[in-house]
Amino acid sequence: MRRLLIPILTLFFTSCKTTKLAVIKQDDKFGCIDKKGNIVIKPEWDWMLQGNKNKQILVEKDSLFGYINSRGNILIEPKYKDAIVFYEGLASVSNGNKFGFINVRGDTIIPFIYDDVFLGFSNGLSDVTINDSCGYIDKSGKIIIPLIYETCYPFLSDIASVETFDGKTLIIDKQGRTFDYNRDEYHY
């Protein structure tokens, strides 16, 4: 138990506030504890990640991804080759060849036609990639911003950042209008 104390405390302080659980690792398996240190989800998963503002926990077992709830009950069986947490009610998952989007019941909402997805839905749009070109779709799968960029970042507000194939970084709005990005003007 002593060898678990420091990792448990570290993970507890970085726990997801929406579920009030902390991810733990015990004997190379992942699970969750509550605020009192009680094991809520038995450490039986090869990997896990809690999302933000939702109750689905992304889990991996035997190189397949699925989702469980905050009590450890399986919501969506691990059957995907790759997956991300749910954002805005949808999660990007891969069947091993292409990416598509599922809802919290595991229904395919947007077909498996994309080569890659960077994050998933943010402010109503998701970046998607086909043949090394990316753009943005809405939750119905309609292309809103054409797939003409080399790199697309999520819309964390009403604007996002994209990179062109000639290496230029641009700011883009949800209508696809682009604006020059001057790095000297922005200091973080």
Side-chain angles (χ1 to χ4, degrees):
M1 182 67 181
R2 185 177 218 183
R3 65 186 172 106
L4 283 177
L5 186 57
I6 292 174
I8 287 173
L9 289 176
T10 301
L11 291 170
F12 178 74
F13 289 120
T14 60
S15 67
C16 178
K17 293 178 184 174
T18 59
T19 59
K20 301 204 183 335
L21 298 176
V23 175
I24 60 167
K25 185 175 183 182
Q26 184 179 38
D27 298 324
D28 286 331
K29 297 292 182 181
F30 290 85
C32 287
I33 59 171
D34 63 16
K35 292 192 304 186
K36 296 177 183 176
N38 300 313
I39 292 179
V40 177
I41 300 173
K42 183 180 172 185
E44 61 185 358
W45 301 99
D46 299 335
W47 182 82
M48 69 178 4
L49 179 65
Q50 295 184 74
N52 186 18
K53 296 181 183 177
N54 63 57
K55 296 178 182 171
Q56 302 82 25
I57 300 170
L58 175 61
V59 293
E60 179 185 8
K61 189 162 203 137
D62 300 325
S63 299
L64 295 174
F65 293 88
Y67 300 87
I68 61 174
N69 66 17
S70 59
R71 287 183 236 135
N73 300 321
I74 293 175
L75 299 172
I76 300 169
E77 287 287 338
K79 63 181 180 179
Y80 298 104
K81 294 289 186 179
D82 199 359
I84 62 170
V85 295
F86 281 86
Y87 289 102
E88 298 183 10
L90 297 175
S92 171
V93 295
S94 171
N95 61 14
N97 296 314
K98 298 287 183 177
F99 284 84
F101 291 85
I102 60 171
N103 64 16
V104 295
R105 291 183 306 280
D107 303 322
T108 299
I109 302 301
I110 299 174
F112 291 82
I113 60 173
Y114 302 104
D115 297 331
D116 200 9
V117 175
F118 180 74
L119 176 66
F121 281 94
S122 180
N123 287 300
L125 298 178
S126 176
D127 61 280
V128 292
T129 300
I130 296 177
N131 296 328
D132 295 324
S133 293
C134 64
Y136 297 89
I137 61 170
D138 67 13
K139 290 183 182 179
S140 72
K142 178 183 175 190
I143 295 174
I144 301 300
I145 299 174
L147 284 68
I148 58 172
Y149 300 100
E150 183 173 23
T151 306
C152 295
Y153 295 99
F155 275 90
L156 300 180
S157 64
D158 288 335
I159 59 171
S161 174
V162 294
E163 294 178 13
T164 64
F165 284 97
D166 62 0
K168 188 173 184 181
T169 300
L170 299 171
I171 301 297
I172 192 166
D173 68 14
K174 291 182 178 182
Q175 288 73 44
R177 294 180 298 230
T178 59
F179 308 91
D180 286 334
Y181 174 71
N182 183 346
R183 293 173 201 249
D184 295 331
E185 291 181 24
Y186 301 97
H187 301 283
Y188 297 100

